[in-house]
Amino acid sequence: MNGPEIHLSVAPELRLFVPSERRQGRTTLVTDGSSTLGHVIESLGIPLTEAGRVLVDDREVAVSHIPRAGESVEVNGVERPQQVPGAPLRFLLDVHLGTLARRLRLLGVDAAYENEDIGDPALATLSAKEQRVLLSRDRGLLRRREIWAGAYIYSDRPDDQLRDVLERFAPVLAPWTRCTACNGSLSVADKDSVQDQLQQGTQRSYDVFAQCTACERVYWRGAHHARLEAIVEEALREFGGAAA
């Protein structure tokens, strides 16, 4: 590349995306003179979903700006909580984030998820069609132009993943209102109406049930409830919400 030389600095939270030699303060970068800042940022390895305000000589610019020689470019991370305009806040998760999807649903957050890998093009198209924020650890997927909105999941640990999404987007929490299996809404179920789906031990031990209005799966406070309740209580304590 042989063109204008710019001075580039990247916010600390974005430095994991860039080559090691660009992780220490301001560095110089030679551009081709025709590419936009968005292209330059992506060429460094930073998904545009993770880039917030971009400043050129301390003036905010759009990523469509074409950098000129001598300019100082500062790439910041997204502001938190991040505002997602244009649609109710809801998510789409790739095939590798099943545990995160189930935990978001546990908290009443609309989180679509496919158990099978439907492929990057189909995921991006679904994100646009249903106006869902696409969550992924795949940088290439997040660079697809057709996605409606997206966010990189920084950790591979479900606890940290959940905390990151709740902090970044501040969704309204309504625990125990959504099916963790299919994302449908739960409603109170009469024991007699669901008893044919219950084992005899469950029928004898429990009296309070909920049922998914979409897939008809039945829920009750079984052996795993204490662990799930701990996840809910921690999320409510840290990020607020109204328990159902």
Side-chain angles (χ1 to χ4, degrees):
M1 189 178 291
N2 186 18
E5 185 178 89
I6 63 175
H7 308 285
L8 177 77
S9 61
V10 175
E13 63 268 30
L14 300 179
R15 291 176 184 171
L16 79 161
F17 296 113
V18 302
S20 57
E21 64 269 17
R22 299 198 180 278
R23 296 177 183 175
Q24 302 297 323
R26 192 168 78 157
T27 61
T28 59
L29 175 69
V30 178
T31 68
D32 63 10
S34 60
S35 294
T36 65
L37 267 181
H39 178 80
V40 172
I41 291 169
E42 286 191 324
S43 70
L44 292 170
I46 303 173
L48 285 182
T49 60
E50 305 313 295
R53 297 173 69 235
V54 179
L55 305 179
V56 172
D57 296 333
D58 296 322
R59 176 175 57 89
E60 186 170 0
V61 300
V63 293
S64 58
H65 174 81
I66 298 176
R68 295 185 291 270
E71 289 183 334
S72 293
V73 177
E74 178 183 342
V75 184
N76 294 284
V78 294
E79 295 184 0
R80 298 189 175 211
Q82 181 178 352
Q83 300 300 311
V84 183
L89 181 61
R90 48 190 182 177
F91 299 98
L92 171 64
L93 290 80
D94 73 18
V95 70
H96 303 292
L97 297 176
T99 299
L100 176 59
R102 288 187 291 273
R103 292 190 179 190
L104 287 170
R105 293 168 176 177
L106 175 66
L107 296 171
V109 178
D110 190 337
Y113 167 77
E114 298 287 343
N115 290 319
E116 298 182 1
D117 188 354
I118 63 175
D120 289 1
L123 278 172
T125 298
L126 187 59
S127 166
K129 178 182 178 181
E130 298 189 359
Q131 293 190 322
R132 291 180 177 273
V133 180
L134 180 57
L135 304 181
S136 178
R137 285 178 52 78
D138 183 343
R139 303 182 201 180
L141 173 56
L142 293 175
R143 290 182 61 173
R144 298 190 70 92
R145 292 289 179 259
E146 61 267 40
I147 69 172
W148 180 71
Y152 182 76
I153 299 300
Y154 287 79
S155 175
D156 58 4
R157 299 181 65 252
D159 289 349
D160 295 335
Q161 291 174 349
L162 180 62
R163 185 173 295 105
D164 184 31
V165 173
L166 297 183
E167 179 189 44
R168 177 166 175 170
F169 292 101
V172 175
L173 305 184
W176 318 111
T177 62
R178 194 171 289 276
C179 177
T180 57
C182 82
N183 200 42
S185 297
L186 298 183
S187 63
V188 176
D190 180 80
K191 185 175 182 178
D192 291 338
S193 68
V194 298
Q195 64 178 353
D196 59 338
Q197 299 184 47
L198 307 176
Q199 296 183 353
Q200 289 187 357
T202 302
Q203 292 184 34
R204 289 193 302 268
S205 302
Y206 301 96
D207 295 306
V208 178
F209 298 91
Q211 187 171 29
C212 177
T213 58
C215 72
E216 299 186 345
R217 179 169 177 168
V218 178
Y219 290 86
W220 61 92
R221 297 191 174 190
H224 300 295
H225 183 77
R227 179 175 59 84
L228 299 178
E229 193 168 39
I231 294 173
V232 168
E233 289 180 353
E234 182 177 357
L236 292 178
R237 182 169 58 250
E238 191 167 353
F239 301 101

